[in-house]
Amino acid sequence: MTKLHDLIAARIAATGPITLADYMADALMHPDHGYYATRDPLGAAGDFITAPEISQMFGELIGLSLAQAWIDQGQPSAFALTELGPGRGTLMADILRATRGVAGFADAAHIHLVETSSTLRTEQAKRIPNATWHDDVTTLPDQPLFLVANEFFDALPIRQFHRNPNGWSEVQVAVQDNTLIAGLSAAAPIVLLDHRVKDTKAGDVVEHCPALPTIIQTISQRIAAHGGAALIIDYGDWRSLGDTLQAMKNHAPINPFADAGEADITAHVDFEAIANAAAPAKHTRLSPQGVFLERLGITQRAHTLAKNLSGDPLDQHIAAHRRLTHPSEMGSLFKVLGLYPNGAPPPAGLEP
Ligand code: SAH
């Protein structure tokens, strides 16, 4: 049993079962024992790998989409180039390298990173030394906001509800024989799921991310007031349906309640919830990642990079291109949604 397991079990013994969201918050973000607080989980030696760690092309194309949005909006002379949950800082480093040739962009950009893990902040500072760090989005400056979030929203805690004839039962974490287990609360009507009564039936599972609407509203208000754009990339779909909770350790799935703080726990992102919170900014249509990257020219970029490669590195490069774009890999499981202000075109690669 981990130290965090004991802390959570003691809390439940004292105050009763907790929601899945409360469990995830501790398991991922506990300042001393949380999964992200205690390690760098990315890469082949870690528990999972993300698009920017697969190929530099991902960050390069994101950078060009954001730079095009900056040009489309009249090249504001000072703006917040922002990333939520930057991991190792690889994506932001690729964005900065790819946009070096865009006249005026680097001088106007002030880099802001929203990250709670001090371990990962240290890792990010190695690649992005001149950034300003934030615990959450509320302290971002009142400036045009050009933002990317890749695999950030999937790490936010969710609540999970099971539909039954008398309302909804919520998944709760309890203790049995000194083991953390998932149980269900008594069924009750849940106001925040009233809009899901019509399109679900008994037995269906619906997830809700409590932190998401406020984060999106904070970003959208800045984009609407000062200009900017947001690219939100994650796995998920338009409307939450089904149990998507997943725990990963050493690139393999494990029981999310087994080793609290030792596994990455995620859930699919409900992009409709992002769209619903997007006002006063506008949101784009949801695009599969593969389509988005193709529209931005990933195949051309892949050919250019391939010219200088041979042998194993060339094989790896071809595999990385496929992994990012192919429908049977990340190409259609991952989706992209953009936010942008009234009167501006949508970010390059996305449709209004
Ligand atoms: N975007 C990176 C890393 C994804 S992992 C990549 O694509 O490689 C998730 C990242 O979000 C980590 O940096 C993690 O520490 C951070 N994170 C998770 N929950 C967070 C929260 N509530 N607030 C701020 N950062 C968070």
Side-chain angles (χ1 to χ4, degrees):
M1 296 295 171
T2 61
K3 172 84 182 148
L4 186 59
H5 168 278
D6 294 345
L7 289 174
I8 295 172
R11 171 182 172 187
I12 293 169
T15 62
I18 59 175
T19 65
L20 186 54
D22 282 346
Y23 173 74
M24 278 180 81
D26 266 355
L28 295 176
M29 284 301 163
H30 187 285
D32 300 321
H33 309 292
Y35 176 75
Y36 284 109
T38 49
R39 78 205 69 213
D40 169 7
L42 290 143
D47 294 313
F48 60 97
I49 186 161
T50 56
E53 304 295 334
I54 290 171
S55 168
Q56 68 184 73
M57 294 187 290
F58 185 78
E60 289 172 350
L61 295 168
I62 300 280
L64 295 180
S65 178
L66 291 179
Q68 184 62 52
W70 176 75
I71 292 168
D72 288 342
Q73 294 181 36
Q75 311 186 0
S77 61
F79 71 94
L81 180 59
T82 302
E83 183 173 358
L84 309 185
R88 288 177 164 171
T90 307
L91 174 54
M92 184 55 81
D94 289 338
I95 289 174
L96 294 173
R97 197 188 57 257
T99 52
R100 248 184 239 151
V102 179
F105 187 83
D107 287 340
H110 298 264
I111 301 163
H112 295 270
L113 304 178
V114 177
E115 174 62 68
T116 39
S117 157
S118 55
T119 306
L120 285 171
R121 281 187 183 197
T122 306
E123 202 55 41
Q124 291 153 18
K126 291 179 193 163
R127 291 169 192 86
I128 322 289
N130 54 348
T132 304
W133 278 267
H134 301 260
D135 290 330
D136 59 64
V137 292
T138 57
T139 51
L140 290 172
D142 284 325
Q143 279 182 342
L145 176 64
F146 291 83
L147 175 146
V148 62
N150 183 59
E151 291 209 44
F152 169 76
F153 286 96
D154 68 357
L156 295 183
I158 55 148
R159 296 171 70 183
Q160 206 183 56
F161 299 90
H162 291 232
R163 175 83 193 274
N164 66 40
N166 302 318
W168 304 88
S169 294
E170 180 162 13
V171 172
Q172 294 185 319
V173 183
V175 185
Q176 198 173 57
D177 302 329
N178 198 32
T179 304
L180 296 177
I181 55 155
L184 284 175
S185 72
I190 301 279
V191 173
L192 73 95
L193 296 179
D194 279 353
H195 67 296
R196 300 305 306 273
V197 169
K198 279 210 183 78
D199 74 332
T200 54
K201 57 184 185 317
D204 282 349
V205 176
V206 167
E207 295 170 340
H208 169 74
C209 177
L212 181 146
T214 323
I215 295 174
I216 295 298
Q217 279 156 22
T218 307
I219 293 169
S220 296
Q221 280 158 8
R222 280 175 168 70
I223 290 175
H226 307 292
L231 296 172
I232 296 161
I233 307 142
D234 229 305
Y235 53 122
D237 238 311
W238 182 250
R239 179 170 286 198
S240 162
L241 188 63
D243 170 11
T244 72
L245 189 75
Q246 171 174 281
M248 295 288 280
K249 192 170 164 55
N250 300 326
H251 297 264
I254 68 157
N255 170 3
F257 308 106
D259 286 314
E262 291 296 313
D264 183 40
I265 307 177
T266 59
H268 284 199
V269 172
D270 177 2
F271 282 97
E272 186 184 39
I274 298 181
N276 285 342
K282 292 167 74 171
H283 67 85
T284 66
R285 282 205 250 172
L286 191 60
S287 278
Q289 172 173 300
V291 173
F292 170 72
L293 294 174
E294 285 302 343
R295 288 192 191 122
L296 292 173
I298 192 169
T299 300
Q300 237 174 325
R301 180 69 183 135
H303 284 308
T304 306
L305 287 171
K307 282 184 192 140
N308 298 318
L309 297 172
S310 60
D312 279 351
L314 178 60
D315 291 345
Q316 281 159 19
H317 170 64
I318 293 167
H321 177 206
R322 184 187 150 87
R323 192 157 172 200
L324 291 179
T325 56
H326 198 275
S328 69
E329 306 228 17
M330 296 170 82
S332 50
L333 177 62
F334 280 75
K335 313 276 194 315
V336 189
L337 191 83
L339 303 174
Y340 61 109
N342 270 308
L350 296 172
E351 295 172 315

